[in-house]
Amino acid sequence: MTLNAVIFDLDGVITDTAHLHFLAWREVAMEIGITFDEAFNEQLKGISRMDSLQRILRHGGKEGAFDHKQRMALAVKKNELYVQSLASLTQASLLPGIRELLMEIRRANVKIGLASVSLNAPRILHTLGIHAAFDFCADASRIARSKPDPEIFLAACAGLHVRPDEAIGIEDASAGVEAINAAGMLSVGIGPGLGHAGLQLHSTRELTWECLTDFWTSRTVLKRN
Ligand code: B16
Ligand code: MG
């Protein structure tokens, strides 16, 4: 079977915006008397804005204290703070090896997709100067179910006109790896705690085209035998 597409998550794989999400949520949470640390923030990786808010409210024991309108206002506030902080991003904010990897995938004539649940993803790709490298970006505003549901990865495959079993997905979040596996794609996990990924790497420095093609070949040979 030929590898026809590589589909990337954004936050934690292409650039590290997790800390900016954390700072924005922490400020909003503090205003409503909830505190949380970076360890708790790990649980928000790959989780949509409204679902993240739900988890923060539950963490602070205030799930029932805010109605829909108030939750929307908190989410808007968080996004304003987050978008302001994106001004610190430059083309140098790409994680190590990603620019080279995108060029090598393109050279190999394999399609490139994005499966980020961030509504800010298009803006971030433009800021990083890599928007043109993507053949298709799944539209997060059209996704009904957050990762670990496979919906966003399936939408990316459909937009790229490839079958899930012809594609590799790359994620840094546990829920994201679950979503790739549930979509029927091969998964690569970046970082700790991702033992459920088909291939687990320490950092994007190890994420080379050679490493992806070796992984693809070994897994497809295994399937045949
Ligand atoms: P926004 P990914 C996710 O990005 C982040 O990991 C998660 O922390 C964030 O809540 C989510 O995007 C939504 O982002 O508020 O910008 O729409 O990992 O799917 O690229
Ligand atoms: Mg991520």
Side-chain angles (χ1 to χ4, degrees), residues 14-215:
I14 290 176
T15 188
D16 188 12
T17 34
H19 189 66
L20 302 179
H21 280 292
F22 167 63
L23 294 177
W25 273 129
R26 188 177 62 174
E27 193 167 332
V28 169
M30 259 160 41
E31 284 177 20
I32 55 171
I34 297 176
T35 52
F36 67 91
D37 57 14
E38 291 222 49
F40 174 79
N41 193 57
E42 285 298 307
Q43 295 176 33
L44 306 181
K45 286 187 174 174
I47 305 299
S48 72
R49 197 179 303 166
M50 294 312 287
D51 288 350
S52 297
L53 176 59
Q54 166 74 12
R55 288 186 186 209
I56 291 167
L57 293 177
R58 195 190 310 142
H59 173 74
K62 300 199 175 190
E63 244 180 320
F66 297 89
D67 63 19
H68 179 71
K69 205 171 151 206
Q70 290 168 317
R71 284 175 189 233
M72 289 304 287
L74 291 171
V76 166
K77 180 81 194 292
K78 181 266 173 175
N79 194 52
E80 281 169 2
L81 292 167
Y82 177 63
V83 169
Q84 276 169 26
S85 72
L86 289 178
S88 65
L89 282 192
T90 67
Q91 297 205 1
S93 311
L94 269 180
L95 283 170
I98 294 297
R99 191 179 304 281
E100 297 73 16
L101 177 62
L102 290 172
M103 288 192 303
E104 290 208 66
I105 300 174
R106 167 78 48 223
R107 226 175 280 138
N109 244 333
V110 170
K111 291 176 181 170
I112 301 178
L114 188 81
S116 166
V117 297
S118 173
L119 296 165
N120 293 294
R123 173 202 310 251
I124 294 172
L125 291 187
H126 275 290
T127 304
L128 296 171
I130 54 168
H131 195 264
F134 288 80
D135 297 292
F136 182 78
C137 297
D139 181 351
S141 70
R142 290 168 159 267
I143 299 300
R145 295 173 298 279
S146 249
K147 299 165 187 175
D149 192 282
E151 186 180 2
I152 193 156
F153 282 98
L154 293 174
C157 287
L160 290 169
H161 306 291
V162 298
R163 290 198 320 263
D165 64 357
E166 298 171 326
I168 289 179
I170 307 173
E171 263 287 350
D172 69 310
S174 179
V177 170
E178 271 185 60
I180 297 171
N181 292 343
M185 302 162 62
L186 280 193
S187 57
V188 176
I190 309 290
L194 302 175
H196 51 317
L199 173 69
Q200 193 178 3
L201 303 175
H202 290 105
S203 95
T204 56
R205 281 177 218 282
E206 297 171 9
L207 185 64
T208 60
W209 176 236
E210 191 187 359
C211 152
L212 286 185
T213 48
D214 284 353
F215 171 49

